[in-house]
Amino acid sequence: MITRSAHNLTTEPVAPAHRPAWQHILSDAITDPAALLRLLELDPALLPAAQKASESFRLRVPLPYIARMQKGNPDDPLLKQVLPVADELIKTPGYSADPLGEAPKNAKKGILHKYRNRLLLMLGSACAVNCRFCFRRHFPYDDNKMNRAEWQEALDYIAADTSLTEVIFSGGDPLAVNDARLRWLTEAIAEIPHVKRLRIHTRLPIVVPQRITEEMLSWFTGTRLQPILVVHCNHAREIDADVCHSLNSLRNAGVTLLSQTVVLRGINDNVEAMVELNETLFDNGVLPYYLHLFDKVQGAAHFDRDETHVRRLLGEMSRRCSGYLVPRLAREKAGAPCKITLSPLYEH
């Protein structure tokens, strides 16, 4: 049994004046569709659908991300990832609330154990941004909230399974959790001898790059665990000067940086957008890692592209880019022992 003091999990709330800048940004995120439309000078006719769709999956988008959107453009590729629309209200056959079949793999509270040598710790439900295509938009986060004893049970579960070599912080967005809790968990996991790597899957370095602070880098790189960060980025215009700075800070601290991207209709489903994205990521020390086929989550079918189109897209990317700039095309299938990778199709 791995036991550490858990006092950091129950610290008093930090007074607002002493919160880090990134926490202020999260608390000031836009959650009212009317406010978003006003900020971007968009047609008020978009409001009724946005309000209705936001009732079941709330709008949430931070101001630094909004600042990169083009005012007056309803087709802005960043806006389309976050604006609730009427299509979300359509029930589409073949789409489900749990497209990856994660419920049976929710082995204990806070744990998703889908693959043999690694597992996900679900650190919370909060995200900096509610992406409309999120495959966990229906996930039972309330059932996975953990008290001090349950966090200890999760650590004991990891310690008992010697096949585990990697722990993945997931959520929600794990970096929406405060640094005290993340430091405690990281140091506790580092005491488990068979765990070698700590991986974080996050959107925060993209949407709120101010999250990458000296304190965050301290706990992430301060143990024997090899630190890996997989940043979720879907379009080159998501990467501005502040994002470049956050990525370079991670790289300079010794973090291995990878990316994952979801193919989204009308946003990045063309070769020009994908090539520019992967070039920009690599320019900032991020290796393109996974290109995901859309997970068929109910309420987001309007983002989906068929497999043949995406494989042809990958083939065209392979023609235009060096191999290290072409991510692996993958899909997840419920119950499969690993992600399924797909080969490109080439047009003659």
Side-chain angles (χ1 to χ4, degrees), residues 244-314:
C244 292
H245 179 74
S246 78
L247 296 174
N248 288 330
S249 295
L250 287 158
R251 181 179 59 176
N252 291 338
V255 177
T256 298
L257 293 176
L258 306 172
S259 72
Q260 61 178 9
T261 298
V262 182
V263 180
L264 301 168
R265 179 182 293 274
I267 294 171
N268 59 12
D269 57 341
N270 62 84
V271 69
E272 290 78 15
M274 281 295 179
V275 169
E276 183 183 10
L277 169 61
N278 291 322
E279 290 272 6
T280 305
L281 286 166
F282 192 78
D283 287 346
N284 288 281
V286 182
L287 185 67
Y289 173 44
Y290 269 132
L291 181 63
H292 289 283
L293 285 171
F294 183 81
D295 296 315
K296 295 184 180 297
V297 62
Q298 191 63 255
H302 54 289
F303 287 112
D304 203 357
R305 287 304 315 243
D306 66 273
E307 181 180 313
T308 298
H309 172 88
V310 180
R311 291 179 64 195
R312 285 175 177 157
L313 173 59
L314 186 70

Side-chain angles (χ1 to χ4, degrees), residues 6 13 23 29 91 93 113 123 140 143 152 161 166 173 190 194 260 266 268 318-320 324 334 340:
Q23 289 187 329
K91 296 295 183 184
H113 195 174
L123 300 193
D143 296 340
Q152 186 61 59
D161 187 344
E166 184 171 21
D173 195 309
H194 51 267
Q260 61 178 9
N268 59 12
S318 301
R319 291 182 189 273
R320 298 196 190 189
Y324 54 82
I340 298 167

Side-chain angles (χ1 to χ4, degrees), residues 55-116:
E55 290 176 4
S56 57
F57 186 46
R58 191 182 188 191
L59 168 74
R60 181 176 180 84
V61 55
L63 290 169
Y65 194 67
I66 295 172
R68 298 169 223 162
M69 299 176 188
Q70 183 181 21
K71 289 185 176 180
N73 181 11
D75 292 319
D76 182 276
L78 279 60
L79 173 68
K80 291 175 76 171
Q81 295 182 57
V82 302
L83 179 67
V85 296
D87 286 341
E88 297 180 35
L89 306 174
I90 300 170
K91 296 295 183 184
T92 307
Y95 294 73
S96 74
D98 184 16
L100 304 187
E102 291 186 326
K105 303 300 182 180
N106 201 177
K108 295 181 70 68
K109 270 192 175 183
I111 288 178
L112 278 178
H113 195 174
K114 297 196 287 187
Y115 304 136
R116 182 178 183 274

Side-chain angles (χ1 to χ4, degrees), residues 123-144:
L123 300 193
S125 60
C127 282
V129 59
N130 283 348
C131 301
R132 309 314 299 179
F133 51 87
C134 179
F135 69 87
R136 289 199 183 118
R137 58 187 287 165
H138 307 290
F139 188 81
Y141 288 108
D142 286 345
D143 296 340
N144 282 272

Side-chain angles (χ1 to χ4, degrees), residues 108-109 145-155:
K108 295 181 70 68
K109 270 192 175 183
K145 289 181 178 178
M146 297 164 71
N147 59 33
R148 185 189 310 184
E150 287 163 338
W151 279 114
Q152 186 61 59
E153 289 177 12
L155 291 170

